[in-house]
Amino acid sequence: MFKVVINPHWEITHSSADTPLDTAVLLGLLMSIQKTGSISKAARLVDLSYRYSWGLLRDAEKMFGTSLLNTDRGRGTTLTALAEKLIWADRRIRARLSPTLESLASELESEIGKTIVGKTKPLRLDASHGFAVDALLHQLTEANLPVDLRYRNSTDAVAALSRNECDLAGFHVPLGEFEKKAVERYTQWLNPREHCLLHLAVRTQGMFVAPGNPKKIQSLQDLTRPGIRFVNRQAGSGTRMLLELMLAGANISPFDIEGYQSNEFTHSAVAAFIASGMADVGVGVQTAAHRFSLDFIPLIRERYFLALPLAIMDDPLIQLVIDVVQSGYFRKVINGLAGYDASDTGKILLLSEAFGHVKTAAA
C-alpha cells in the first residue's frame, strides 16, 4: 500500500523583482525559536547551521523591512508580532486545506496502487473532517488497509452511501432536544432494512473564544451583539446544521449575526481563524479549541456514526474496520481527545436501536 502526503507550500514576494521567500524552512526555524527561546538551539533542532539560520532571518527581515525577533538578555529570544502572524497564517492554511489535500492524496494512492499492483478494492470512506475520523484513518493506514477517502459534509456523505458511492458514511447527531430534527434530515437517505451504524464517538460541540474570553461571550444570544465577529462552518456541514437548529430553538435570526455567511471547512480552520484574531467566536468541537489554546464554552454533545450497508458486514475490509474501532487501543486514543467520549465506541446498531423514537423516511 502506497502512502501519499501532500503539504501546503507558500512563498512571499514584495515585488516582482524579488526572489520569492520560501516560508517552509523559515517557519520551521521560527517555531523552534518560539519553543526554545534561542536561535542556536532552534537551528540545531531543525538541523540548520547557525550561520545559515542567521542569513535566512536577515533575508526575511530585509524583505519585510522589519524585525522578526526580539532579543532580551534576561528573557532570551522571542518572536515579534509579525513572526507570530506568519506562524498563525501557516496553521490557518493547513487547517483550511487539510481535507482537500488528504482527499486528493487518497485518490492518488488508489490510482498508483491500481497502476502498479493491479486492480485493488479499497475501502471507500466518505466523512466530514474530524478528529475521531483522523484517528481511525491513522489506524487503518497502520493496518495497511487501502482506503479511498473523501472528506465531505455529513449530508453529502450519507447521500453518497444511498447511491452506493461509498462503503462507510460519517455523520453526527446531537443528543437531546435537537436530535429528532437532525435524524430526520439524515434518514431520508438511510433505509432501516439496508443500513446499520458503527458508533465512533461522542463529542462536545461549543463556542470557541479567545483566551480569557475578552468579549465576555456566554451564550448564543451574544452572537448578535454589535461588534461580535462570528466565523461559520460551510453550508451543508453537520456543525452548521446543528447551529441552525440551536439558533431556531433560541429564536435567533442568522441575519443578526455578523459573519454568519462565512465558510470554513474544518473545526481547526474555525479555531485558527479565531486564534489569529480575525474573528471573536465560532462553533466546533472541543478538541480544536484545545489545540489552538482557545477558551471553550460547551453547548451540546453529539454522537458520531459511520453508516454502512448491512449487505457488506461480512466483507473482510469491513470486519477489519470494526476490529480497529472495537479495539482497546482505539478507545484509548478517542478518550485522549479533548471533549471526546469512547464509552460506546465500536457498538454496532440498527437504525431502530440508535433512533428508536424517530420514524425514518424509508421505514
Side-chain angles (χ1 to χ4, degrees), residues 230-263:
F230 181 73
V231 56
N232 209 351
R233 287 292 305 279
Q234 80 277 21
S237 68
T239 296
R240 186 153 172 163
M241 182 188 76
L242 172 61
L243 177 60
E244 290 170 356
L245 292 173
M246 290 191 292
L247 292 177
N251 198 29
I252 298 172
S253 170
F255 298 105
D256 294 333
I257 300 174
E258 179 185 344
Y260 189 85
Q261 298 307 320
S262 56
N263 291 273

PDB file of all heavy atoms in Angstrom, residues 230-263:
ATOM      1  N   PHE A 230     -18.325  36.686  13.984  1.00  0.00           N
ATOM      2  CA  PHE A 230     -18.537  35.235  14.001  1.00  0.00           C
ATOM      3  C   PHE A 230     -17.911  34.594  12.764  1.00  0.00           C
ATOM      4  O   PHE A 230     -17.928  35.181  11.679  1.00  0.00           O
ATOM      5  CB  PHE A 230     -20.036  34.942  14.033  1.00  0.00           C
ATOM      6  CG  PHE A 230     -20.386  33.476  14.087  1.00  0.00           C
ATOM      7  CD1 PHE A 230     -20.195  32.756  15.258  1.00  0.00           C
ATOM      8  CD2 PHE A 230     -20.907  32.826  12.980  1.00  0.00           C
ATOM      9  CE1 PHE A 230     -20.520  31.406  15.322  1.00  0.00           C
ATOM     10  CE2 PHE A 230     -21.232  31.481  13.032  1.00  0.00           C
ATOM     11  CZ  PHE A 230     -21.041  30.772  14.207  1.00  0.00           C
ATOM     12  N   VAL A 231     -17.348  33.393  12.920  1.00  0.00           N
ATOM     13  CA  VAL A 231     -16.855  32.622  11.776  1.00  0.00           C
ATOM     14  C   VAL A 231     -17.594  31.289  11.768  1.00  0.00           C
ATOM     15  O   VAL A 231     -17.690  30.606  12.798  1.00  0.00           O
ATOM     16  CB  VAL A 231     -15.323  32.423  11.815  1.00  0.00           C
ATOM     17  CG1 VAL A 231     -14.857  31.770  13.103  1.00  0.00           C
ATOM     18  CG2 VAL A 231     -14.864  31.610  10.596  1.00  0.00           C
ATOM     19  N   ASN A 232     -18.142  30.926  10.602  1.00  0.00           N
ATOM     20  CA  ASN A 232     -19.053  29.796  10.492  1.00  0.00           C
ATOM     21  C   ASN A 232     -18.403  28.638   9.749  1.00  0.00           C
ATOM     22  O   ASN A 232     -17.416  28.797   9.036  1.00  0.00           O
ATOM     23  CB  ASN A 232     -20.322  30.229   9.738  1.00  0.00           C
ATOM     24  CG  ASN A 232     -21.551  29.433  10.147  1.00  0.00           C
ATOM     25  OD1 ASN A 232     -21.451  28.446  10.867  1.00  0.00           O
ATOM     26  ND2 ASN A 232     -22.699  29.875   9.691  1.00  0.00           N
ATOM     27  N   ARG A 233     -18.990  27.451   9.898  1.00  0.00           N
ATOM     28  CA  ARG A 233     -18.638  26.316   9.051  1.00  0.00           C
ATOM     29  C   ARG A 233     -19.370  26.450   7.725  1.00  0.00           C
ATOM     30  O   ARG A 233     -20.298  27.249   7.572  1.00  0.00           O
ATOM     31  CB  ARG A 233     -19.029  25.007   9.738  1.00  0.00           C
ATOM     32  CG  ARG A 233     -18.124  24.647  10.917  1.00  0.00           C
ATOM     33  CD  ARG A 233     -16.711  24.281  10.484  1.00  0.00           C
ATOM     34  NE  ARG A 233     -16.713  23.203   9.505  1.00  0.00           N
ATOM     35  CZ  ARG A 233     -16.832  21.919   9.820  1.00  0.00           C
ATOM     36  NH1 ARG A 233     -16.954  21.555  11.095  1.00  0.00           N
ATOM     37  NH2 ARG A 233     -16.819  20.988   8.882  1.00  0.00           N
ATOM     38  N   GLN A 234     -18.970  25.621   6.746  1.00  0.00           N
ATOM     39  CA  GLN A 234     -19.552  25.721   5.412  1.00  0.00           C
ATOM     40  C   GLN A 234     -21.001  25.245   5.398  1.00  0.00           C
ATOM     41  O   GLN A 234     -21.413  24.407   6.203  1.00  0.00           O
ATOM     42  CB  GLN A 234     -18.728  24.930   4.392  1.00  0.00           C
ATOM     43  CG  GLN A 234     -18.959  23.422   4.373  1.00  0.00           C
ATOM     44  CD  GLN A 234     -18.155  22.670   5.420  1.00  0.00           C
ATOM     45  OE1 GLN A 234     -17.706  23.241   6.408  1.00  0.00           O
ATOM     46  NE2 GLN A 234     -17.977  21.377   5.198  1.00  0.00           N
ATOM     47  N   ALA A 235     -21.780  25.807   4.467  1.00  0.00           N
ATOM     48  CA  ALA A 235     -23.172  25.385   4.291  1.00  0.00           C
ATOM     49  C   ALA A 235     -23.221  23.893   3.981  1.00  0.00           C
ATOM     50  O   ALA A 235     -22.433  23.391   3.178  1.00  0.00           O
ATOM     51  CB  ALA A 235     -23.825  26.185   3.171  1.00  0.00           C
ATOM     52  N   GLY A 236     -24.149  23.181   4.626  1.00  0.00           N
ATOM     53  CA  GLY A 236     -24.290  21.744   4.412  1.00  0.00           C
ATOM     54  C   GLY A 236     -23.544  20.900   5.422  1.00  0.00           C
ATOM     55  O   GLY A 236     -23.794  19.695   5.534  1.00  0.00           O
ATOM     56  N   SER A 237     -22.624  21.499   6.167  1.00  0.00           N
ATOM     57  CA  SER A 237     -21.890  20.731   7.175  1.00  0.00           C
ATOM     58  C   SER A 237     -22.801  20.389   8.346  1.00  0.00           C
ATOM     59  O   SER A 237     -23.767  21.096   8.642  1.00  0.00           O
ATOM     60  CB  SER A 237     -20.681  21.524   7.678  1.00  0.00           C
ATOM     61  OG  SER A 237     -21.099  22.648   8.433  1.00  0.00           O
ATOM     62  N   GLY A 238     -22.485  19.301   9.031  1.00  0.00           N
ATOM     63  CA  GLY A 238     -23.291  18.891  10.175  1.00  0.00           C
ATOM     64  C   GLY A 238     -23.258  19.909  11.293  1.00  0.00           C
ATOM     65  O   GLY A 238     -24.255  20.139  11.977  1.00  0.00           O
ATOM     66  N   THR A 239     -22.103  20.557  11.489  1.00  0.00           N
ATOM     67  CA  THR A 239     -21.988  21.558  12.548  1.00  0.00           C
ATOM     68  C   THR A 239     -22.834  22.782  12.233  1.00  0.00           C
ATOM     69  O   THR A 239     -23.488  23.343  13.121  1.00  0.00           O
ATOM     70  CB  THR A 239     -20.521  21.956  12.751  1.00  0.00           C
ATOM     71  OG1 THR A 239     -19.790  20.809  13.209  1.00  0.00           O
ATOM     72  CG2 THR A 239     -20.383  23.078  13.761  1.00  0.00           C
ATOM     73  N   ARG A 240     -22.851  23.209  10.978  1.00  0.00           N
ATOM     74  CA  ARG A 240     -23.684  24.358  10.616  1.00  0.00           C
ATOM     75  C   ARG A 240     -25.159  24.004  10.736  1.00  0.00           C
ATOM     76  O   ARG A 240     -25.974  24.826  11.172  1.00  0.00           O
ATOM     77  CB  ARG A 240     -23.358  24.818   9.195  1.00  0.00           C
ATOM     78  CG  ARG A 240     -24.082  26.104   8.798  1.00  0.00           C
ATOM     79  CD  ARG A 240     -23.312  26.851   7.762  1.00  0.00           C
ATOM     80  NE  ARG A 240     -24.029  27.988   7.213  1.00  0.00           N
ATOM     81  CZ  ARG A 240     -23.456  28.972   6.532  1.00  0.00           C
ATOM     82  NH1 ARG A 240     -22.147  28.951   6.321  1.00  0.00           N
ATOM     83  NH2 ARG A 240     -24.161  29.976   6.054  1.00  0.00           N
ATOM     84  N   MET A 241     -25.522  22.770  10.345  1.00  0.00           N
ATOM     85  CA  MET A 241     -26.899  22.335  10.501  1.00  0.00           C
ATOM     86  C   MET A 241     -27.301  22.336  11.980  1.00  0.00           C
ATOM     87  O   MET A 241     -28.392  22.791  12.350  1.00  0.00           O
ATOM     88  CB  MET A 241     -27.086  20.936   9.924  1.00  0.00           C
ATOM     89  CG  MET A 241     -28.522  20.431  10.001  1.00  0.00           C
ATOM     90  SD  MET A 241     -28.686  18.683   9.531  1.00  0.00           S
ATOM     91  CE  MET A 241     -28.028  17.886  11.008  1.00  0.00           C
ATOM     92  N   LEU A 242     -26.392  21.858  12.841  1.00  0.00           N
ATOM     93  CA  LEU A 242     -26.658  21.859  14.276  1.00  0.00           C
ATOM     94  C   LEU A 242     -26.839  23.285  14.787  1.00  0.00           C
ATOM     95  O   LEU A 242     -27.749  23.567  15.575  1.00  0.00           O
ATOM     96  CB  LEU A 242     -25.508  21.183  15.010  1.00  0.00           C
ATOM     97  CG  LEU A 242     -25.523  21.252  16.539  1.00  0.00           C
ATOM     98  CD1 LEU A 242     -26.770  20.584  17.101  1.00  0.00           C
ATOM     99  CD2 LEU A 242     -24.258  20.608  17.112  1.00  0.00           C
ATOM    100  N   LEU A 243     -25.985  24.204  14.326  1.00  0.00           N
ATOM    101  CA  LEU A 243     -26.109  25.597  14.746  1.00  0.00           C
ATOM    102  C   LEU A 243     -27.442  26.179  14.310  1.00  0.00           C
ATOM    103  O   LEU A 243     -28.088  26.920  15.078  1.00  0.00           O
ATOM    104  CB  LEU A 243     -24.961  26.422  14.170  1.00  0.00           C
ATOM    105  CG  LEU A 243     -24.982  27.919  14.469  1.00  0.00           C
ATOM    106  CD1 LEU A 243     -24.941  28.183  15.966  1.00  0.00           C
ATOM    107  CD2 LEU A 243     -23.817  28.626  13.771  1.00  0.00           C
ATOM    108  N   GLU A 244     -27.877  25.865  13.105  1.00  0.00           N
ATOM    109  CA  GLU A 244     -29.178  26.344  12.616  1.00  0.00           C
ATOM    110  C   GLU A 244     -30.304  25.877  13.536  1.00  0.00           C
ATOM    111  O   GLU A 244     -31.225  26.650  13.858  1.00  0.00           O
ATOM    112  CB  GLU A 244     -29.418  25.848  11.197  1.00  0.00           C
ATOM    113  CG  GLU A 244     -28.517  26.495  10.155  1.00  0.00           C
ATOM    114  CD  GLU A 244     -28.603  25.802   8.801  1.00  0.00           C
ATOM    115  OE1 GLU A 244     -29.312  24.778   8.704  1.00  0.00           O
ATOM    116  OE2 GLU A 244     -27.958  26.276   7.846  1.00  0.00           O
ATOM    117  N   LEU A 245     -30.224  24.624  13.968  1.00  0.00           N
ATOM    118  CA  LEU A 245     -31.252  24.091  14.865  1.00  0.00           C
ATOM    119  C   LEU A 245     -31.223  24.807  16.216  1.00  0.00           C
ATOM    120  O   LEU A 245     -32.271  25.147  16.777  1.00  0.00           O
ATOM    121  CB  LEU A 245     -31.048  22.584  15.061  1.00  0.00           C
ATOM    122  CG  LEU A 245     -31.304  21.691  13.838  1.00  0.00           C
ATOM    123  CD1 LEU A 245     -30.887  20.253  14.133  1.00  0.00           C
ATOM    124  CD2 LEU A 245     -32.777  21.738  13.434  1.00  0.00           C
ATOM    125  N   MET A 246     -30.027  25.040  16.744  1.00  0.00           N
ATOM    126  CA  MET A 246     -29.910  25.707  18.046  1.00  0.00           C
ATOM    127  C   MET A 246     -30.371  27.159  17.969  1.00  0.00           C
ATOM    128  O   MET A 246     -31.018  27.663  18.896  1.00  0.00           O
ATOM    129  CB  MET A 246     -28.472  25.622  18.555  1.00  0.00           C
ATOM    130  CG  MET A 246     -28.040  24.220  18.963  1.00  0.00           C
ATOM    131  SD  MET A 246     -26.461  24.175  19.859  1.00  0.00           S
ATOM    132  CE  MET A 246     -25.317  24.655  18.551  1.00  0.00           C
ATOM    133  N   LEU A 247     -30.043  27.849  16.875  1.00  0.00           N
ATOM    134  CA  LEU A 247     -30.483  29.239  16.722  1.00  0.00           C
ATOM    135  C   LEU A 247     -31.996  29.322  16.618  1.00  0.00           C
ATOM    136  O   LEU A 247     -32.630  30.203  17.223  1.00  0.00           O
ATOM    137  CB  LEU A 247     -29.838  29.862  15.481  1.00  0.00           C
ATOM    138  CG  LEU A 247     -28.322  30.099  15.539  1.00  0.00           C
ATOM    139  CD1 LEU A 247     -27.813  30.645  14.211  1.00  0.00           C
ATOM    140  CD2 LEU A 247     -27.955  31.046  16.677  1.00  0.00           C
ATOM    141  N   ALA A 248     -32.589  28.398  15.841  1.00  0.00           N
ATOM    142  CA  ALA A 248     -34.047  28.383  15.720  1.00  0.00           C
ATOM    143  C   ALA A 248     -34.689  28.108  17.072  1.00  0.00           C
ATOM    144  O   ALA A 248     -35.703  28.722  17.428  1.00  0.00           O
ATOM    145  CB  ALA A 248     -34.475  27.332  14.696  1.00  0.00           C
ATOM    146  N   GLY A 249     -34.082  27.193  17.850  1.00  0.00           N
ATOM    147  CA  GLY A 249     -34.619  26.884  19.171  1.00  0.00           C
ATOM    148  C   GLY A 249     -34.542  28.052  20.130  1.00  0.00           C
ATOM    149  O   GLY A 249     -35.366  28.178  21.041  1.00  0.00           O
ATOM    150  N   ALA A 250     -33.541  28.920  19.911  1.00  0.00           N
ATOM    151  CA  ALA A 250     -33.385  30.101  20.766  1.00  0.00           C
ATOM    152  C   ALA A 250     -34.029  31.337  20.163  1.00  0.00           C
ATOM    153  O   ALA A 250     -33.882  32.444  20.704  1.00  0.00           O
ATOM    154  CB  ALA A 250     -31.892  30.361  21.009  1.00  0.00           C
ATOM    155  N   ASN A 251     -34.719  31.169  19.031  1.00  0.00           N
ATOM    156  CA  ASN A 251     -35.405  32.279  18.335  1.00  0.00           C
ATOM    157  C   ASN A 251     -34.420  33.382  17.939  1.00  0.00           C
ATOM    158  O   ASN A 251     -34.703  34.570  18.111  1.00  0.00           O
ATOM    159  CB  ASN A 251     -36.529  32.843  19.208  1.00  0.00           C
ATOM    160  CG  ASN A 251     -37.532  33.661  18.393  1.00  0.00           C
ATOM    161  OD1 ASN A 251     -37.740  33.410  17.200  1.00  0.00           O
ATOM    162  ND2 ASN A 251     -38.155  34.640  19.020  1.00  0.00           N
ATOM    163  N   ILE A 252     -33.272  32.961  17.401  1.00  0.00           N
ATOM    164  CA  ILE A 252     -32.244  33.904  16.949  1.00  0.00           C
ATOM    165  C   ILE A 252     -32.162  33.843  15.430  1.00  0.00           C
ATOM    166  O   ILE A 252     -32.052  32.756  14.849  1.00  0.00           O
ATOM    167  CB  ILE A 252     -30.873  33.555  17.558  1.00  0.00           C
ATOM    168  CG1 ILE A 252     -30.923  33.648  19.083  1.00  0.00           C
ATOM    169  CG2 ILE A 252     -29.793  34.477  17.010  1.00  0.00           C
ATOM    170  CD1 ILE A 252     -29.671  33.129  19.768  1.00  0.00           C
ATOM    171  N   SER A 253     -32.188  35.000  14.783  1.00  0.00           N
ATOM    172  CA  SER A 253     -32.077  35.045  13.327  1.00  0.00           C
ATOM    173  C   SER A 253     -30.606  35.064  12.908  1.00  0.00           C
ATOM    174  O   SER A 253     -29.830  35.880  13.414  1.00  0.00           O
ATOM    175  CB  SER A 253     -32.765  36.291  12.765  1.00  0.00           C
ATOM    176  OG  SER A 253     -32.465  36.440  11.385  1.00  0.00           O
ATOM    177  N   PRO A 254     -30.204  34.182  11.977  1.00  0.00           N
ATOM    178  CA  PRO A 254     -28.822  34.214  11.477  1.00  0.00           C
ATOM    179  C   PRO A 254     -28.454  35.557  10.866  1.00  0.00           C
ATOM    180  O   PRO A 254     -27.278  35.933  10.863  1.00  0.00           O
ATOM    181  CB  PRO A 254     -28.811  33.108  10.411  1.00  0.00           C
ATOM    182  CG  PRO A 254     -29.936  32.196  10.786  1.00  0.00           C
ATOM    183  CD  PRO A 254     -30.982  33.089  11.377  1.00  0.00           C
ATOM    184  N   PHE A 255     -29.440  36.293  10.345  1.00  0.00           N
ATOM    185  CA  PHE A 255     -29.179  37.586   9.726  1.00  0.00           C
ATOM    186  C   PHE A 255     -28.710  38.634  10.730  1.00  0.00           C
ATOM    187  O   PHE A 255     -28.191  39.683  10.357  1.00  0.00           O
ATOM    188  CB  PHE A 255     -30.428  38.090   8.998  1.00  0.00           C
ATOM    189  CG  PHE A 255     -30.864  37.182   7.876  1.00  0.00           C
ATOM    190  CD1 PHE A 255     -31.973  36.361   8.027  1.00  0.00           C
ATOM    191  CD2 PHE A 255     -30.159  37.145   6.686  1.00  0.00           C
ATOM    192  CE1 PHE A 255     -32.375  35.513   7.003  1.00  0.00           C
ATOM    193  CE2 PHE A 255     -30.554  36.310   5.650  1.00  0.00           C
ATOM    194  CZ  PHE A 255     -31.666  35.490   5.807  1.00  0.00           C
ATOM    195  N   ASP A 256     -28.897  38.347  12.025  1.00  0.00           N
ATOM    196  CA  ASP A 256     -28.451  39.264  13.066  1.00  0.00           C
ATOM    197  C   ASP A 256     -27.027  38.979  13.534  1.00  0.00           C
ATOM    198  O   ASP A 256     -26.526  39.630  14.449  1.00  0.00           O
ATOM    199  CB  ASP A 256     -29.400  39.190  14.279  1.00  0.00           C
ATOM    200  CG  ASP A 256     -30.800  39.699  13.962  1.00  0.00           C
ATOM    201  OD1 ASP A 256     -30.911  40.547  13.048  1.00  0.00           O
ATOM    202  OD2 ASP A 256     -31.764  39.237  14.591  1.00  0.00           O
ATOM    203  N   ILE A 257     -26.371  37.989  12.910  1.00  0.00           N
ATOM    204  CA  ILE A 257     -25.026  37.575  13.327  1.00  0.00           C
ATOM    205  C   ILE A 257     -24.004  38.020  12.286  1.00  0.00           C
ATOM    206  O   ILE A 257     -24.063  37.587  11.131  1.00  0.00           O
ATOM    207  CB  ILE A 257     -24.962  36.047  13.519  1.00  0.00           C
ATOM    208  CG1 ILE A 257     -25.964  35.597  14.595  1.00  0.00           C
ATOM    209  CG2 ILE A 257     -23.549  35.614  13.894  1.00  0.00           C
ATOM    210  CD1 ILE A 257     -26.070  34.093  14.746  1.00  0.00           C
ATOM    211  N   GLU A 258     -23.086  38.866  12.685  1.00  0.00           N
ATOM    212  CA  GLU A 258     -22.049  39.351  11.768  1.00  0.00           C
ATOM    213  C   GLU A 258     -21.085  38.220  11.421  1.00  0.00           C
ATOM    214  O   GLU A 258     -20.475  37.610  12.304  1.00  0.00           O
ATOM    215  CB  GLU A 258     -21.276  40.500  12.422  1.00  0.00           C
ATOM    216  CG  GLU A 258     -20.162  41.066  11.545  1.00  0.00           C
ATOM    217  CD  GLU A 258     -19.330  42.120  12.260  1.00  0.00           C
ATOM    218  OE1 GLU A 258     -19.783  42.632  13.309  1.00  0.00           O
ATOM    219  OE2 GLU A 258     -18.228  42.423  11.768  1.00  0.00           O
ATOM    220  N   GLY A 259     -20.975  37.918  10.131  1.00  0.00           N
ATOM    221  CA  GLY A 259     -20.062  36.868   9.679  1.00  0.00           C
ATOM    222  C   GLY A 259     -20.712  35.518   9.503  1.00  0.00           C
ATOM    223  O   GLY A 259     -20.024  34.534   9.196  1.00  0.00           O
ATOM    224  N   TYR A 260     -22.045  35.451   9.665  1.00  0.00           N
ATOM    225  CA  TYR A 260     -22.712  34.145   9.592  1.00  0.00           C
ATOM    226  C   TYR A 260     -22.520  33.477   8.237  1.00  0.00           C
ATOM    227  O   TYR A 260     -22.484  32.253   8.144  1.00  0.00           O
ATOM    228  CB  TYR A 260     -24.218  34.295   9.892  1.00  0.00           C
ATOM    229  CG  TYR A 260     -24.906  32.949  10.037  1.00  0.00           C
ATOM    230  CD1 TYR A 260     -24.896  32.297  11.266  1.00  0.00           C
ATOM    231  CD2 TYR A 260     -25.546  32.340   8.967  1.00  0.00           C
ATOM    232  CE1 TYR A 260     -25.501  31.054  11.413  1.00  0.00           C
ATOM    233  CE2 TYR A 260     -26.153  31.103   9.107  1.00  0.00           C
ATOM    234  CZ  TYR A 260     -26.127  30.467  10.326  1.00  0.00           C
ATOM    235  OH  TYR A 260     -26.711  29.231  10.465  1.00  0.00           O
ATOM    236  N   GLN A 261     -22.403  34.235   7.172  1.00  0.00           N
ATOM    237  CA  GLN A 261     -22.287  33.661   5.831  1.00  0.00           C
ATOM    238  C   GLN A 261     -20.864  33.220   5.488  1.00  0.00           C
ATOM    239  O   GLN A 261     -20.623  32.767   4.366  1.00  0.00           O
ATOM    240  CB  GLN A 261     -22.782  34.681   4.791  1.00  0.00           C
ATOM    241  CG  GLN A 261     -24.249  35.058   4.945  1.00  0.00           C
ATOM    242  CD  GLN A 261     -25.169  33.849   4.971  1.00  0.00           C
ATOM    243  OE1 GLN A 261     -24.978  32.888   4.219  1.00  0.00           O
ATOM    244  NE2 GLN A 261     -26.170  33.889   5.838  1.00  0.00           N
ATOM    245  N   SER A 262     -19.937  33.319   6.428  1.00  0.00           N
ATOM    246  CA  SER A 262     -18.578  32.837   6.177  1.00  0.00           C
ATOM    247  C   SER A 262     -18.572  31.313   6.080  1.00  0.00           C
ATOM    248  O   SER A 262     -19.509  30.642   6.522  1.00  0.00           O
ATOM    249  CB  SER A 262     -17.633  33.306   7.289  1.00  0.00           C
ATOM    250  OG  SER A 262     -18.115  32.873   8.561  1.00  0.00           O
ATOM    251  N   ASN A 263     -17.513  30.754   5.489  1.00  0.00           N
ATOM    252  CA  ASN A 263     -17.444  29.311   5.264  1.00  0.00           C
ATOM    253  C   ASN A 263     -16.041  28.783   5.548  1.00  0.00           C
ATOM    254  O   ASN A 263     -15.111  29.070   4.792  1.00  0.00           O
ATOM    255  CB  ASN A 263     -17.803  28.971   3.803  1.00  0.00           C
ATOM    256  CG  ASN A 263     -19.255  29.211   3.480  1.00  0.00           C
ATOM    257  OD1 ASN A 263     -20.092  28.338   3.675  1.00  0.00           O
ATOM    258  ND2 ASN A 263     -19.568  30.398   2.976  1.00  0.00           N
TER     259      ASN A 263
END
